[in-house]
Amino acid sequence: TARERPSDLAELPPSFDPDGTVTGFTFAPAADGVAALVVSSQPVGPPILGVGRSAGHPLDPTGGIRAAVEAAMPDGVSPAAVDRWELAEPTAAATLLAIHELHIEPSRVNRAGGTLSVGDAGAAEELRLIVDGLHHAEPGELVMAAAFGPTGAAATLLRRP
């Protein structure tokens, strides 16, 4: 059955149970993307060199992206070695701030168009960044895909086969 929004929003159920427990109404992520996971005993894709996650802060629009990127970097690899940066673009200003935080060359970021030009894939945004980065990378290039926002950041470093 279709859910209809009540005419009076006060009729909606509370976001928290009386004891403070989070309910399904607390957070509803965007659902306009698709993701797939392939599990195999044989290598089927590009090697993942590193993965990093960072919790965010409500006053930090980059969600701690520097910590996530640093965690994704293997020993001996620096951000300067990354050929392609695929950054989520929650806003143009936040993306410019992330570029500044990471001390990376803007010409290496979202060369084929980012979220602002192709749209937000919602819950599949990180996967979209990886796919776009690998699709446009040359063989052997390092690709860093990083999604971020006030709630946190996620970074994945891959090498195009």
Side-chain angles (χ1 to χ4, degrees):
T1 63
R3 288 179 60 179
E4 293 184 28
R5 190 179 107 192
S7 58
D8 181 3
L9 295 181
E11 295 173 19
L12 286 171
S15 295
F16 297 92
D17 288 337
D19 65 353
T21 304
V22 174
T23 71
F25 286 95
T26 304
F27 178 70
D32 58 348
V34 175
L37 174 65
V38 176
V39 179
S40 173
S41 61
Q42 302 297 317
V44 293
I48 296 175
L49 304 177
V51 175
R53 301 288 185 262
S54 174
H57 185 283
L59 300 178
D60 177 10
T62 68
I65 192 170
R66 186 185 314 174
V69 166
E70 287 173 357
M73 291 289 184
D75 289 338
V77 177
S78 72
V82 175
D83 300 293
R84 299 187 72 88
W85 289 83
E86 298 295 327
L87 298 181
E89 296 172 328
T91 66
T95 304
L96 291 172
L97 185 57
I99 290 169
H100 177 76
E101 274 287 308
L102 296 169
H103 306 288
I104 56 177
E105 187 62 40
S107 64
R108 292 180 172 204
V109 177
N110 298 343
R111 290 193 238 162
T115 310
L116 294 174
S117 66
V118 301
D120 183 355
E125 183 65 13
E126 190 177 354
L127 179 60
R128 186 201 62 79
L129 295 168
I130 291 169
V131 170
D132 283 359
L134 290 173
H135 175 73
H136 295 287
E138 297 294 325
E141 283 189 330
L142 289 177
V143 176
M144 176 66 77
F148 64 93
T151 58
T156 305
L157 180 67
L158 304 106
R159 182 179 306 279
R160 168 83 190 262

PDB file of all heavy atoms in Angstrom, residues 33-76:
ATOM      1  N   GLY A  33      20.017   4.952  -5.957  1.00  0.00           N
ATOM      2  CA  GLY A  33      21.223   4.361  -6.532  1.00  0.00           C
ATOM      3  C   GLY A  33      21.154   2.858  -6.418  1.00  0.00           C
ATOM      4  O   GLY A  33      20.275   2.298  -5.776  1.00  0.00           O
ATOM      5  N   VAL A  34      22.065   2.204  -7.079  1.00  0.00           N
ATOM      6  CA  VAL A  34      22.117   0.749  -7.068  1.00  0.00           C
ATOM      7  C   VAL A  34      23.536   0.337  -6.727  1.00  0.00           C
ATOM      8  O   VAL A  34      24.495   0.947  -7.169  1.00  0.00           O
ATOM      9  CB  VAL A  34      21.727   0.178  -8.448  1.00  0.00           C
ATOM     10  CG1 VAL A  34      21.889  -1.316  -8.481  1.00  0.00           C
ATOM     11  CG2 VAL A  34      20.314   0.572  -8.806  1.00  0.00           C
ATOM     12  N   ALA A  35      23.686  -0.699  -5.930  1.00  0.00           N
ATOM     13  CA  ALA A  35      25.003  -1.219  -5.596  1.00  0.00           C
ATOM     14  C   ALA A  35      24.968  -2.734  -5.678  1.00  0.00           C
ATOM     15  O   ALA A  35      23.919  -3.352  -5.499  1.00  0.00           O
ATOM     16  CB  ALA A  35      25.407  -0.783  -4.180  1.00  0.00           C
ATOM     17  N   ALA A  36      26.097  -3.322  -5.978  1.00  0.00           N
ATOM     18  CA  ALA A  36      26.197  -4.774  -6.051  1.00  0.00           C
ATOM     19  C   ALA A  36      27.499  -5.208  -5.393  1.00  0.00           C
ATOM     20  O   ALA A  36      28.489  -4.485  -5.425  1.00  0.00           O
ATOM     21  CB  ALA A  36      26.179  -5.252  -7.500  1.00  0.00           C
ATOM     22  N   LEU A  37      27.482  -6.373  -4.811  1.00  0.00           N
ATOM     23  CA  LEU A  37      28.674  -6.948  -4.191  1.00  0.00           C
ATOM     24  C   LEU A  37      28.888  -8.322  -4.788  1.00  0.00           C
ATOM     25  O   LEU A  37      27.980  -9.146  -4.806  1.00  0.00           O
ATOM     26  CB  LEU A  37      28.491  -7.060  -2.667  1.00  0.00           C
ATOM     27  CG  LEU A  37      29.595  -7.779  -1.908  1.00  0.00           C
ATOM     28  CD1 LEU A  37      30.898  -6.998  -1.994  1.00  0.00           C
ATOM     29  CD2 LEU A  37      29.188  -7.954  -0.458  1.00  0.00           C
ATOM     30  N   VAL A  38      30.078  -8.550  -5.306  1.00  0.00           N
ATOM     31  CA  VAL A  38      30.423  -9.850  -5.880  1.00  0.00           C
ATOM     32  C   VAL A  38      31.425 -10.512  -4.953  1.00  0.00           C
ATOM     33  O   VAL A  38      32.460  -9.926  -4.634  1.00  0.00           O
ATOM     34  CB  VAL A  38      31.025  -9.702  -7.298  1.00  0.00           C
ATOM     35  CG1 VAL A  38      31.462 -11.050  -7.842  1.00  0.00           C
ATOM     36  CG2 VAL A  38      30.031  -9.035  -8.223  1.00  0.00           C
ATOM     37  N   VAL A  39      31.120 -11.716  -4.509  1.00  0.00           N
ATOM     38  CA  VAL A  39      32.012 -12.464  -3.641  1.00  0.00           C
ATOM     39  C   VAL A  39      32.552 -13.642  -4.444  1.00  0.00           C
ATOM     40  O   VAL A  39      31.794 -14.401  -5.034  1.00  0.00           O
ATOM     41  CB  VAL A  39      31.274 -12.971  -2.379  1.00  0.00           C
ATOM     42  CG1 VAL A  39      32.211 -13.769  -1.499  1.00  0.00           C
ATOM     43  CG2 VAL A  39      30.674 -11.799  -1.618  1.00  0.00           C
ATOM     44  N   SER A  40      33.871 -13.771  -4.474  1.00  0.00           N
ATOM     45  CA  SER A  40      34.491 -14.822  -5.272  1.00  0.00           C
ATOM     46  C   SER A  40      35.788 -15.263  -4.612  1.00  0.00           C
ATOM     47  O   SER A  40      36.440 -14.489  -3.928  1.00  0.00           O
ATOM     48  CB  SER A  40      34.790 -14.296  -6.678  1.00  0.00           C
ATOM     49  OG  SER A  40      35.539 -15.239  -7.415  1.00  0.00           O
ATOM     50  N   SER A  41      36.148 -16.506  -4.844  1.00  0.00           N
ATOM     51  CA  SER A  41      37.427 -16.985  -4.321  1.00  0.00           C
ATOM     52  C   SER A  41      38.572 -16.576  -5.248  1.00  0.00           C
ATOM     53  O   SER A  41      39.737 -16.702  -4.886  1.00  0.00           O
ATOM     54  CB  SER A  41      37.399 -18.513  -4.160  1.00  0.00           C
ATOM     55  OG  SER A  41      37.176 -19.130  -5.419  1.00  0.00           O
ATOM     56  N   GLN A  42      38.257 -16.072  -6.436  1.00  0.00           N
ATOM     57  CA  GLN A  42      39.256 -15.614  -7.402  1.00  0.00           C
ATOM     58  C   GLN A  42      39.154 -14.094  -7.540  1.00  0.00           C
ATOM     59  O   GLN A  42      38.061 -13.533  -7.457  1.00  0.00           O
ATOM     60  CB  GLN A  42      39.012 -16.267  -8.766  1.00  0.00           C
ATOM     61  CG  GLN A  42      39.037 -17.777  -8.749  1.00  0.00           C
ATOM     62  CD  GLN A  42      40.393 -18.316  -8.340  1.00  0.00           C
ATOM     63  OE1 GLN A  42      41.416 -17.827  -8.781  1.00  0.00           O
ATOM     64  NE2 GLN A  42      40.391 -19.298  -7.455  1.00  0.00           N
ATOM     65  N   PRO A  43      40.269 -13.420  -7.805  1.00  0.00           N
ATOM     66  CA  PRO A  43      40.194 -11.970  -8.025  1.00  0.00           C
ATOM     67  C   PRO A  43      39.317 -11.657  -9.236  1.00  0.00           C
ATOM     68  O   PRO A  43      39.463 -12.281 -10.278  1.00  0.00           O
ATOM     69  CB  PRO A  43      41.639 -11.566  -8.297  1.00  0.00           C
ATOM     70  CG  PRO A  43      42.480 -12.692  -7.807  1.00  0.00           C
ATOM     71  CD  PRO A  43      41.643 -13.925  -7.874  1.00  0.00           C
ATOM     72  N   VAL A  44      38.389 -10.718  -9.077  1.00  0.00           N
ATOM     73  CA  VAL A  44      37.490 -10.376 -10.167  1.00  0.00           C
ATOM     74  C   VAL A  44      37.541  -8.885 -10.526  1.00  0.00           C
ATOM     75  O   VAL A  44      36.889  -8.459 -11.463  1.00  0.00           O
ATOM     76  CB  VAL A  44      36.025 -10.755  -9.843  1.00  0.00           C
ATOM     77  CG1 VAL A  44      35.872 -12.248  -9.760  1.00  0.00           C
ATOM     78  CG2 VAL A  44      35.550 -10.073  -8.583  1.00  0.00           C
ATOM     79  N   GLY A  45      38.269  -8.103  -9.795  1.00  0.00           N
ATOM     80  CA  GLY A  45      38.283  -6.667 -10.047  1.00  0.00           C
ATOM     81  C   GLY A  45      39.616  -6.061  -9.692  1.00  0.00           C
ATOM     82  O   GLY A  45      40.589  -6.760  -9.433  1.00  0.00           O
ATOM     83  N   PRO A  46      39.646  -4.744  -9.681  1.00  0.00           N
ATOM     84  CA  PRO A  46      40.892  -4.050  -9.365  1.00  0.00           C
ATOM     85  C   PRO A  46      41.277  -4.245  -7.904  1.00  0.00           C
ATOM     86  O   PRO A  46      40.407  -4.407  -7.049  1.00  0.00           O
ATOM     87  CB  PRO A  46      40.559  -2.586  -9.640  1.00  0.00           C
ATOM     88  CG  PRO A  46      39.085  -2.502  -9.500  1.00  0.00           C
ATOM     89  CD  PRO A  46      38.544  -3.829  -9.919  1.00  0.00           C
ATOM     90  N   PRO A  47      42.567  -4.263  -7.654  1.00  0.00           N
ATOM     91  CA  PRO A  47      42.986  -4.435  -6.258  1.00  0.00           C
ATOM     92  C   PRO A  47      42.649  -3.214  -5.410  1.00  0.00           C
ATOM     93  O   PRO A  47      42.881  -2.084  -5.817  1.00  0.00           O
ATOM     94  CB  PRO A  47      44.498  -4.622  -6.363  1.00  0.00           C
ATOM     95  CG  PRO A  47      44.879  -4.061  -7.687  1.00  0.00           C
ATOM     96  CD  PRO A  47      43.676  -4.154  -8.577  1.00  0.00           C
ATOM     97  N   ILE A  48      42.067  -3.482  -4.253  1.00  0.00           N
ATOM     98  CA  ILE A  48      41.809  -2.420  -3.280  1.00  0.00           C
ATOM     99  C   ILE A  48      43.070  -2.299  -2.433  1.00  0.00           C
ATOM    100  O   ILE A  48      43.481  -3.244  -1.770  1.00  0.00           O
ATOM    101  CB  ILE A  48      40.584  -2.745  -2.408  1.00  0.00           C
ATOM    102  CG1 ILE A  48      39.333  -2.801  -3.275  1.00  0.00           C
ATOM    103  CG2 ILE A  48      40.429  -1.713  -1.295  1.00  0.00           C
ATOM    104  CD1 ILE A  48      38.083  -3.243  -2.543  1.00  0.00           C
ATOM    105  N   LEU A  49      43.692  -1.134  -2.488  1.00  0.00           N
ATOM    106  CA  LEU A  49      44.943  -0.912  -1.770  1.00  0.00           C
ATOM    107  C   LEU A  49      44.719  -0.429  -0.347  1.00  0.00           C
ATOM    108  O   LEU A  49      45.569  -0.617   0.514  1.00  0.00           O
ATOM    109  CB  LEU A  49      45.816   0.082  -2.536  1.00  0.00           C
ATOM    110  CG  LEU A  49      46.125  -0.300  -3.981  1.00  0.00           C
ATOM    111  CD1 LEU A  49      46.921   0.799  -4.653  1.00  0.00           C
ATOM    112  CD2 LEU A  49      46.863  -1.623  -4.040  1.00  0.00           C
ATOM    113  N   GLY A  50      43.586   0.215  -0.111  1.00  0.00           N
ATOM    114  CA  GLY A  50      43.310   0.713   1.228  1.00  0.00           C
ATOM    115  C   GLY A  50      41.901   1.248   1.351  1.00  0.00           C
ATOM    116  O   GLY A  50      41.305   1.706   0.385  1.00  0.00           O
ATOM    117  N   VAL A  51      41.371   1.173   2.566  1.00  0.00           N
ATOM    118  CA  VAL A  51      40.040   1.681   2.880  1.00  0.00           C
ATOM    119  C   VAL A  51      40.142   2.447   4.190  1.00  0.00           C
ATOM    120  O   VAL A  51      40.806   2.000   5.126  1.00  0.00           O
ATOM    121  CB  VAL A  51      39.020   0.524   3.018  1.00  0.00           C
ATOM    122  CG1 VAL A  51      37.669   1.039   3.470  1.00  0.00           C
ATOM    123  CG2 VAL A  51      38.898  -0.237   1.713  1.00  0.00           C
ATOM    124  N   GLY A  52      39.508   3.590   4.258  1.00  0.00           N
ATOM    125  CA  GLY A  52      39.515   4.377   5.484  1.00  0.00           C
ATOM    126  C   GLY A  52      38.139   4.939   5.772  1.00  0.00           C
ATOM    127  O   GLY A  52      37.376   5.249   4.858  1.00  0.00           O
ATOM    128  N   ARG A  53      37.819   5.045   7.039  1.00  0.00           N
ATOM    129  CA  ARG A  53      36.548   5.618   7.485  1.00  0.00           C
ATOM    130  C   ARG A  53      36.837   6.603   8.612  1.00  0.00           C
ATOM    131  O   ARG A  53      37.784   6.432   9.372  1.00  0.00           O
ATOM    132  CB  ARG A  53      35.598   4.534   8.011  1.00  0.00           C
ATOM    133  CG  ARG A  53      35.253   3.449   7.005  1.00  0.00           C
ATOM    134  CD  ARG A  53      34.321   3.998   5.934  1.00  0.00           C
ATOM    135  NE  ARG A  53      33.868   2.986   5.004  1.00  0.00           N
ATOM    136  CZ  ARG A  53      34.399   2.774   3.812  1.00  0.00           C
ATOM    137  NH1 ARG A  53      35.440   3.467   3.419  1.00  0.00           N
ATOM    138  NH2 ARG A  53      33.895   1.868   2.996  1.00  0.00           N
ATOM    139  N   SER A  54      35.990   7.598   8.721  1.00  0.00           N
ATOM    140  CA  SER A  54      36.152   8.583   9.781  1.00  0.00           C
ATOM    141  C   SER A  54      34.784   9.088  10.205  1.00  0.00           C
ATOM    142  O   SER A  54      33.923   9.323   9.352  1.00  0.00           O
ATOM    143  CB  SER A  54      36.995   9.759   9.278  1.00  0.00           C
ATOM    144  OG  SER A  54      37.053  10.773  10.252  1.00  0.00           O
ATOM    145  N   ALA A  55      34.599   9.227  11.495  1.00  0.00           N
ATOM    146  CA  ALA A  55      33.367   9.838  11.997  1.00  0.00           C
ATOM    147  C   ALA A  55      33.447  11.334  11.766  1.00  0.00           C
ATOM    148  O   ALA A  55      34.526  11.918  11.752  1.00  0.00           O
ATOM    149  CB  ALA A  55      33.199   9.541  13.486  1.00  0.00           C
ATOM    150  N   GLY A  56      32.314  11.955  11.562  1.00  0.00           N
ATOM    151  CA  GLY A  56      32.287  13.375  11.295  1.00  0.00           C
ATOM    152  C   GLY A  56      31.974  14.197  12.521  1.00  0.00           C
ATOM    153  O   GLY A  56      31.870  13.692  13.638  1.00  0.00           O
ATOM    154  N   HIS A  57      31.840  15.475  12.294  1.00  0.00           N
ATOM    155  CA  HIS A  57      31.482  16.438  13.327  1.00  0.00           C
ATOM    156  C   HIS A  57      30.445  17.369  12.697  1.00  0.00           C
ATOM    157  O   HIS A  57      30.600  17.774  11.540  1.00  0.00           O
ATOM    158  CB  HIS A  57      32.718  17.231  13.760  1.00  0.00           C
ATOM    159  CG  HIS A  57      32.452  18.151  14.896  1.00  0.00           C
ATOM    160  ND1 HIS A  57      31.801  19.356  14.744  1.00  0.00           N
ATOM    161  CD2 HIS A  57      32.731  18.037  16.204  1.00  0.00           C
ATOM    162  CE1 HIS A  57      31.706  19.957  15.910  1.00  0.00           C
ATOM    163  NE2 HIS A  57      32.260  19.174  16.816  1.00  0.00           N
ATOM    164  N   PRO A  58      29.378  17.699  13.403  1.00  0.00           N
ATOM    165  CA  PRO A  58      28.320  18.516  12.802  1.00  0.00           C
ATOM    166  C   PRO A  58      28.787  19.847  12.234  1.00  0.00           C
ATOM    167  O   PRO A  58      28.155  20.396  11.357  1.00  0.00           O
ATOM    168  CB  PRO A  58      27.336  18.752  13.950  1.00  0.00           C
ATOM    169  CG  PRO A  58      27.723  17.852  15.042  1.00  0.00           C
ATOM    170  CD  PRO A  58      29.104  17.344  14.783  1.00  0.00           C
ATOM    171  N   LEU A  59      29.904  20.364  12.712  1.00  0.00           N
ATOM    172  CA  LEU A  59      30.395  21.653  12.217  1.00  0.00           C
ATOM    173  C   LEU A  59      31.469  21.496  11.143  1.00  0.00           C
ATOM    174  O   LEU A  59      32.024  22.490  10.682  1.00  0.00           O
ATOM    175  CB  LEU A  59      30.933  22.488  13.387  1.00  0.00           C
ATOM    176  CG  LEU A  59      29.905  22.799  14.481  1.00  0.00           C
ATOM    177  CD1 LEU A  59      30.542  23.589  15.602  1.00  0.00           C
ATOM    178  CD2 LEU A  59      28.703  23.538  13.897  1.00  0.00           C
ATOM    179  N   ASP A  60      31.766  20.258  10.744  1.00  0.00           N
ATOM    180  CA  ASP A  60      32.796  20.007   9.737  1.00  0.00           C
ATOM    181  C   ASP A  60      32.134  19.442   8.477  1.00  0.00           C
ATOM    182  O   ASP A  60      31.782  18.269   8.433  1.00  0.00           O
ATOM    183  CB  ASP A  60      33.837  19.024  10.269  1.00  0.00           C
ATOM    184  CG  ASP A  60      34.893  18.667   9.233  1.00  0.00           C
ATOM    185  OD1 ASP A  60      34.940  19.306   8.158  1.00  0.00           O
ATOM    186  OD2 ASP A  60      35.677  17.750   9.495  1.00  0.00           O
ATOM    187  N   PRO A  61      31.958  20.265   7.437  1.00  0.00           N
ATOM    188  CA  PRO A  61      31.304  19.772   6.224  1.00  0.00           C
ATOM    189  C   PRO A  61      32.113  18.714   5.474  1.00  0.00           C
ATOM    190  O   PRO A  61      31.577  18.033   4.614  1.00  0.00           O
ATOM    191  CB  PRO A  61      31.112  21.031   5.376  1.00  0.00           C
ATOM    192  CG  PRO A  61      32.079  22.015   5.903  1.00  0.00           C
ATOM    193  CD  PRO A  61      32.315  21.672   7.349  1.00  0.00           C
ATOM    194  N   THR A  62      33.386  18.547   5.823  1.00  0.00           N
ATOM    195  CA  THR A  62      34.194  17.522   5.147  1.00  0.00           C
ATOM    196  C   THR A  62      34.155  16.193   5.886  1.00  0.00           C
ATOM    197  O   THR A  62      34.727  15.214   5.416  1.00  0.00           O
ATOM    198  CB  THR A  62      35.659  17.955   5.002  1.00  0.00           C
ATOM    199  OG1 THR A  62      36.278  18.005   6.278  1.00  0.00           O
ATOM    200  CG2 THR A  62      35.784  19.286   4.286  1.00  0.00           C
ATOM    201  N   GLY A  63      33.499  16.125   7.023  1.00  0.00           N
ATOM    202  CA  GLY A  63      33.315  14.862   7.733  1.00  0.00           C
ATOM    203  C   GLY A  63      34.592  14.168   8.159  1.00  0.00           C
ATOM    204  O   GLY A  63      34.612  12.959   8.320  1.00  0.00           O
ATOM    205  N   GLY A  64      35.674  14.905   8.308  1.00  0.00           N
ATOM    206  CA  GLY A  64      36.940  14.268   8.681  1.00  0.00           C
ATOM    207  C   GLY A  64      37.568  13.522   7.511  1.00  0.00           C
ATOM    208  O   GLY A  64      38.178  12.472   7.683  1.00  0.00           O
ATOM    209  N   ILE A  65      37.419  14.067   6.302  1.00  0.00           N
ATOM    210  CA  ILE A  65      37.915  13.381   5.109  1.00  0.00           C
ATOM    211  C   ILE A  65      39.417  13.123   5.171  1.00  0.00           C
ATOM    212  O   ILE A  65      39.892  12.097   4.697  1.00  0.00           O
ATOM    213  CB  ILE A  65      37.530  14.140   3.811  1.00  0.00           C
ATOM    214  CG1 ILE A  65      37.803  13.253   2.587  1.00  0.00           C
ATOM    215  CG2 ILE A  65      38.249  15.465   3.719  1.00  0.00           C
ATOM    216  CD1 ILE A  65      37.245  13.806   1.300  1.00  0.00           C
ATOM    217  N   ARG A  66      40.165  14.029   5.776  1.00  0.00           N
ATOM    218  CA  ARG A  66      41.619  13.819   5.844  1.00  0.00           C
ATOM    219  C   ARG A  66      41.951  12.541   6.604  1.00  0.00           C
ATOM    220  O   ARG A  66      42.794  11.753   6.177  1.00  0.00           O
ATOM    221  CB  ARG A  66      42.315  15.009   6.493  1.00  0.00           C
ATOM    222  CG  ARG A  66      43.847  14.854   6.426  1.00  0.00           C
ATOM    223  CD  ARG A  66      44.623  15.910   7.137  1.00  0.00           C
ATOM    224  NE  ARG A  66      44.127  17.245   6.855  1.00  0.00           N
ATOM    225  CZ  ARG A  66      44.580  18.325   7.445  1.00  0.00           C
ATOM    226  NH1 ARG A  66      45.525  18.236   8.356  1.00  0.00           N
ATOM    227  NH2 ARG A  66      44.100  19.506   7.161  1.00  0.00           N
ATOM    228  N   ALA A  67      41.267  12.285   7.717  1.00  0.00           N
ATOM    229  CA  ALA A  67      41.519  11.069   8.501  1.00  0.00           C
ATOM    230  C   ALA A  67      41.153   9.822   7.703  1.00  0.00           C
ATOM    231  O   ALA A  67      41.868   8.812   7.741  1.00  0.00           O
ATOM    232  CB  ALA A  67      40.743  11.110   9.814  1.00  0.00           C
ATOM    233  N   ALA A  68      40.040   9.870   6.965  1.00  0.00           N
ATOM    234  CA  ALA A  68      39.629   8.712   6.161  1.00  0.00           C
ATOM    235  C   ALA A  68      40.638   8.435   5.055  1.00  0.00           C
ATOM    236  O   ALA A  68      41.023   7.284   4.817  1.00  0.00           O
ATOM    237  CB  ALA A  68      38.242   8.941   5.566  1.00  0.00           C
ATOM    238  N   VAL A  69      41.104   9.486   4.374  1.00  0.00           N
ATOM    239  CA  VAL A  69      42.081   9.320   3.294  1.00  0.00           C
ATOM    240  C   VAL A  69      43.405   8.813   3.849  1.00  0.00           C
ATOM    241  O   VAL A  69      44.024   7.905   3.277  1.00  0.00           O
ATOM    242  CB  VAL A  69      42.256  10.645   2.511  1.00  0.00           C
ATOM    243  CG1 VAL A  69      43.491  10.608   1.631  1.00  0.00           C
ATOM    244  CG2 VAL A  69      41.013  10.927   1.687  1.00  0.00           C
ATOM    245  N   GLU A  70      43.854   9.361   4.969  1.00  0.00           N
ATOM    246  CA  GLU A  70      45.110   8.892   5.570  1.00  0.00           C
ATOM    247  C   GLU A  70      45.019   7.418   5.949  1.00  0.00           C
ATOM    248  O   GLU A  70      45.974   6.669   5.762  1.00  0.00           O
ATOM    249  CB  GLU A  70      45.474   9.746   6.790  1.00  0.00           C
ATOM    250  CG  GLU A  70      45.953  11.132   6.417  1.00  0.00           C
ATOM    251  CD  GLU A  70      46.146  12.045   7.617  1.00  0.00           C
ATOM    252  OE1 GLU A  70      45.853  11.631   8.775  1.00  0.00           O
ATOM    253  OE2 GLU A  70      46.586  13.192   7.407  1.00  0.00           O
ATOM    254  N   ALA A  71      43.870   6.985   6.448  1.00  0.00           N
ATOM    255  CA  ALA A  71      43.700   5.575   6.820  1.00  0.00           C
ATOM    256  C   ALA A  71      43.703   4.669   5.593  1.00  0.00           C
ATOM    257  O   ALA A  71      44.102   3.504   5.674  1.00  0.00           O
ATOM    258  CB  ALA A  71      42.399   5.389   7.607  1.00  0.00           C
ATOM    259  N   ALA A  72      43.287   5.193   4.443  1.00  0.00           N
ATOM    260  CA  ALA A  72      43.240   4.393   3.216  1.00  0.00           C
ATOM    261  C   ALA A  72      44.592   4.300   2.515  1.00  0.00           C
ATOM    262  O   ALA A  72      44.780   3.457   1.643  1.00  0.00           O
ATOM    263  CB  ALA A  72      42.208   4.976   2.251  1.00  0.00           C
ATOM    264  N   MET A  73      45.539   5.149   2.892  1.00  0.00           N
ATOM    265  CA  MET A  73      46.839   5.188   2.223  1.00  0.00           C
ATOM    266  C   MET A  73      47.776   4.122   2.791  1.00  0.00           C
ATOM    267  O   MET A  73      48.084   4.139   3.983  1.00  0.00           O
ATOM    268  CB  MET A  73      47.501   6.555   2.404  1.00  0.00           C
ATOM    269  CG  MET A  73      46.817   7.663   1.682  1.00  0.00           C
ATOM    270  SD  MET A  73      47.065   7.504  -0.078  1.00  0.00           S
ATOM    271  CE  MET A  73      46.282   8.983  -0.634  1.00  0.00           C
ATOM    272  N   PRO A  74      48.253   3.207   1.947  1.00  0.00           N
ATOM    273  CA  PRO A  74      49.241   2.240   2.433  1.00  0.00           C
ATOM    274  C   PRO A  74      50.559   2.952   2.740  1.00  0.00           C
ATOM    275  O   PRO A  74      50.792   4.065   2.269  1.00  0.00           O
ATOM    276  CB  PRO A  74      49.424   1.274   1.261  1.00  0.00           C
ATOM    277  CG  PRO A  74      48.486   1.692   0.197  1.00  0.00           C
ATOM    278  CD  PRO A  74      47.900   3.017   0.566  1.00  0.00           C
ATOM    279  N   ASP A  75      51.408   2.313   3.516  1.00  0.00           N
ATOM    280  CA  ASP A  75      52.717   2.886   3.828  1.00  0.00           C
ATOM    281  C   ASP A  75      53.454   3.230   2.538  1.00  0.00           C
ATOM    282  O   ASP A  75      53.460   2.454   1.580  1.00  0.00           O
ATOM    283  CB  ASP A  75      53.558   1.904   4.652  1.00  0.00           C
ATOM    284  CG  ASP A  75      53.033   1.751   6.064  1.00  0.00           C
ATOM    285  OD1 ASP A  75      52.317   2.663   6.535  1.00  0.00           O
ATOM    286  OD2 ASP A  75      53.340   0.720   6.694  1.00  0.00           O
ATOM    287  N   GLY A  76      54.057   4.389   2.506  1.00  0.00           N
ATOM    288  CA  GLY A  76      54.850   4.797   1.363  1.00  0.00           C
ATOM    289  C   GLY A  76      54.069   5.470   0.246  1.00  0.00           C
ATOM    290  O   GLY A  76      54.652   5.903  -0.737  1.00  0.00           O
TER     291      GLY A  76
END
